[in-house]
Amino acid sequence: MIIDDSRAMRSILRRIVTDLDFETSEAEHGQAALDQMHAGVVPDVCLVDWNMPVMDGYTFITEVRANPAWRDVTLMMVTTESEQRQIVRALAAGAHEYVIKPFTPDAIVDKLSLLGLVPA
């Protein structure tokens, strides 16, 4: 699931992951993503922006981690937030990886590979 308020960014990330044979769903903010998950769309991995309206990515991660049914969902922040304390905060909240925008497609593929979601 790609969670970003930027339609252009969702499109870029969609192209990268569909080239890796992922099926995708999208949400424009964290609450929309949670709504989809409560409706039964539980993704293997979420690519999550930090700064979004309605519900930011950090809150989304804490909400997902608070639900034991979603324990196996892999969470990767893809964000412009580049301060070390923000990175530590996201990882401590339950994000598995962190990618800072702008990124290359290879950076996304490498992180997904590190997570064991695509062949190395």
Side-chain angles (χ1 to χ4, degrees), residues 64-94:
V64 169
R65 287 297 168 245
N67 187 331
W70 299 334
R71 184 177 318 152
D72 294 334
V73 176
T74 299
L75 301 171
M76 184 164 77
M77 294 295 293
V78 182
T79 179
T80 57
E81 292 290 337
S82 60
E83 291 184 28
Q84 185 68 25
R85 67 181 173 86
Q86 295 292 66
I87 296 169
V88 169
R89 188 172 167 220
L91 295 173

Side-chain angles (χ1 to χ4, degrees), residues 4-113:
D4 197 304
D5 58 328
S6 164
R7 184 179 304 170
M9 185 55 62
R10 291 196 310 267
S11 177
I12 291 167
L13 289 168
R14 181 182 345 103
R15 270 186 264 131
I16 294 168
V17 297
T18 55
D19 283 349
L20 298 169
D21 293 328
F22 280 87
E23 293 179 23
T24 63
S25 59
E26 298 179 17
E28 61 189 28
H29 51 72
Q31 185 59 55
L34 283 180
D35 291 347
Q36 288 186 42
M37 292 174 74
H38 282 294
V41 179
V42 180
D44 293 328
V45 61
C46 293
L47 307 180
V48 186
D49 187 19
W50 191 298
N51 298 304
M52 299 178 286
V54 184
M55 178 186 287
D56 64 37
Y58 176 79
T59 303
F60 172 79
I61 286 173
T62 60
E63 291 289 324
V64 169
R65 287 297 168 245
N67 187 331
W70 299 334
R71 184 177 318 152
D72 294 334
V73 176
T74 299
L75 301 171
M76 184 164 77
M77 294 295 293
V78 182
T79 179
T80 57
E81 292 290 337
S82 60
E83 291 184 28
Q84 185 68 25
R85 67 181 173 86
Q86 295 292 66
I87 296 169
V88 169
R89 188 172 167 220
L91 295 173
H96 294 88
E97 277 294 343
Y98 200 99
V99 176
I100 298 170
K101 297 176 186 173
F103 55 81
T104 64
D106 286 344
I108 299 296
V109 173
D110 288 349
K111 292 292 187 177
L112 291 172
S113 179

